[in-house]
Amino acid sequence: SSRGGASWGVAPRGVGVAGRGAARGGGVMMGRKFENNKVKMAKSAAAYTKKASYIGKKILACVKEGGPHVESNRALGLLIREAQTLGVTKEVVERNIKKAADPNTAAFKELTYEAYGAGGVGFIINCLSDNNNRAAAQVNAAINKAAGCKPASSGSVLFNFERKGRLALPVEIDEAAMIDIAIEADIDDVELVEPDVERGDVESTLAVILTADSQLGAMQAALTDNGIESVGQLANIPLSLVEVSDEDKETNLAAIEKFRATGDCDSV
């Protein structure tokens, strides 16, 4: 099809790029490359959709709480900068600000669910939703479908974790510079840690700062004031770890993907 600027299609009688490649014995490789590219494009599109949904819901909650104007709602200004860092378009941001200003739009709430995985691993599943019943149904269905998983009673997993503010930076920063920025902002709880792809960090994440959950906004604002963009979120940091087999690890990673795929899931 040539619609929308796409130029891929099937050439008649094997004529065209694919046909010429096949004549040279390269048709199979080109086909594989095309299929691999399609998979990568699909994954990139899915990742963008998830980021756009996350930013949209955060903006809805932020505007409902503090209003639609960045002059009086600094948290909204930080979210807009965060959207830019994540590559979320201006159109998505403006559409959600307008939507949140509508009094008929439901407010979003943070919801937390707990589960056990293979090998004694504990899961904390964080959702941001405008419908408690829908979120609960989605998460419970994902838990029941995930191999090796079962629901956990409220608090039975959560006590093994500490609630922290987590800031992912697209630039490197040394500990001394981080502490200086924190001291200037009267922040007394900061820690520099390595990026972690299993927590959703991307290749462009070069440093991660942990802070007290109540100081997340202040630390993000302080970084912004010093010309450093960041992506901030509340995170559950485990107080202890358990060793599992390679088989259980793969089972648990597959479960995490199931949880993340639910529409209302924010993080696992």
Side-chain angles (χ1 to χ4, degrees):
S1 170
S2 61
R3 288 185 179 180
S7 58
W8 295 104
V10 179
R13 300 188 184 89
V15 179
V17 176
R20 290 197 298 270
R24 293 194 299 268
V28 174
M29 289 304 293
M30 186 161 189
R32 285 178 183 168
K33 184 177 181 181
F34 176 53
E35 290 302 318
N36 289 339
N37 283 341
K38 283 204 300 184
V39 171
K40 288 179 181 178
M41 288 167 66
K43 285 183 176 179
S44 296
Y48 176 80
T49 300
K50 195 71 176 177
K51 286 189 291 186
S53 174
Y54 161 76
I55 286 293
K57 289 189 289 187
K58 295 289 281 186
I59 286 174
L60 284 167
C62 182
V63 171
K64 284 289 184 184
E65 184 177 339
H69 304 295
V70 293
E71 296 82 7
S72 57
N73 187 350
R74 184 165 191 183
L76 177 60
L78 291 172
L79 265 177
I80 292 172
R81 286 179 176 271
E82 187 171 319
Q84 294 170 341
T85 302
L86 289 171
V88 176
T89 65
K90 184 179 179 181
E91 180 188 0
V92 169
V93 171
E94 291 178 345
R95 183 172 68 244
N96 282 284
I97 291 175
K98 184 177 179 180
K99 183 179 178 182
D102 183 347
N104 296 317
T105 302
F108 278 77
K109 297 179 182 177
E110 291 186 350
L111 305 168
T112 301
Y113 302 93
E114 301 168 56
Y116 290 115
V121 166
F123 291 120
I124 306 294
I125 304 160
N126 299 303
C127 294
L128 194 60
S129 178
D130 60 349
N131 188 314
N132 294 20
N133 293 334
R134 183 189 66 223
Q138 287 180 349
V139 172
N140 286 329
I143 292 171
N144 291 330
K145 289 178 182 177
C149 290
K150 62 181 181 180
S153 57
S154 179
S156 61
V157 175
L158 203 56
F159 84 96
N160 288 305
F161 292 77
E162 183 179 13
R163 192 73 159 161
K164 285 279 193 179
R166 191 175 192 275
L167 294 153
L169 281 58
V171 295
E172 293 182 349
I173 186 172
D174 60 47
E175 192 171 40
M178 175 194 69
I179 291 173
D180 285 343
I181 291 172
I183 290 173
E184 286 178 11
D186 292 324
I187 295 168
D188 55 10
D189 183 356
V190 285
E191 180 184 359
L192 188 64
V193 298
E194 293 292 322
D196 184 353
V197 292
E198 292 185 4
R199 282 193 168 272
D201 292 329
V202 294
E203 289 183 11
S204 58
T205 301
L206 300 182
V208 173
I209 295 174
L210 297 180
T211 187
D213 57 351
S214 60
Q215 296 179 330
L216 173 62
M219 188 63 194
Q220 189 171 24
L223 288 168
T224 300
D225 290 343
N226 281 271
I228 302 173
E229 301 298 341
S230 63
V231 175
Q233 65 179 134
L234 292 171
N236 299 99
I237 307 301
L239 297 173
S240 61
L241 302 175
V242 293
E243 234 178 273
V244 297
S245 66
D246 289 341
E247 183 179 352
D248 283 346
K249 179 181 177 181
E250 292 304 314
T251 298
N252 287 324
L253 290 175
I256 289 173
E257 289 308 307
K258 283 187 183 295
F259 302 152
R260 285 178 175 164
T262 61
D264 287 324
C265 180
D266 177 24
S267 63
V268 183

